[in-house]
Amino acid sequence: MKKYSSIIHIFSLACAGLIFTGCTTNQATAPIPANSGHLLINRVANFGSNMALVVSIDGKDVGSFTEGGSYSGYLPAGQHVITARVDPNPGGTGPARKTLNVKAGQTYSFTAGLSGGNMTLVRNQGQTVLPD
């Protein structure tokens, strides 16, 4: 009986090892879309704990981010309108809008925050952004 118990124990450990190995080797990153740029939008730390940052691209919501959250995605090359707004919005905070000319292979990084009762999108690096 003891020999049978040892075999079961060794077999269980081997199966667990295979499962964990499979989990780590199957974590492939998604390929970067061709002819696209990378957009990053970080939420400032003092944004507010009861509010979410909602990011929209070309009029379509792409995510809602609470404390510590940020947006990371790829956009096809060309002109896009990026919008950041607050949710919920009991104070009537105005959204931030930026027109971005995306070039393939470029990364565009912004920080979203509140300033003077309005949302802001501030560039973190020197990218091409058209004034609104």
Side-chain angles (χ1 to χ4, degrees), residues 22-129:
C23 289
T24 58
T25 57
N26 284 338
Q27 293 178 349
T29 30
I32 297 172
N35 198 27
S36 66
H38 191 192
L39 175 64
L40 302 167
I41 301 177
N42 298 306
R43 181 189 143 131
V44 295
N46 62 354
F47 192 86
S49 60
N50 296 329
M51 296 185 288
L53 166 66
V54 180
V55 175
S56 300
I57 299 173
D58 299 328
K60 181 181 176 190
D61 288 354
V62 294
S64 179
F65 307 95
T66 56
E67 282 185 274
S70 61
Y71 172 79
S72 175
Y74 292 91
L75 299 176
Q79 192 170 359
H80 299 278
V81 177
I82 313 302
T83 305
R85 68 181 193 277
V86 175
D87 185 45
N89 191 3
T93 302
R97 286 187 183 85
K98 294 287 182 188
T99 301
L100 182 64
N101 288 317
V102 175
K103 294 182 181 176
Q106 297 294 312
T107 296
Y108 304 90
S109 177
F110 292 87
T111 298
L114 296 168
S115 177
N118 291 310
M119 284 293 305
T120 60
L121 276 172
V122 179
R123 286 183 291 176
N124 295 329
Q125 301 170 8
Q127 295 92 22
T128 305
V129 177

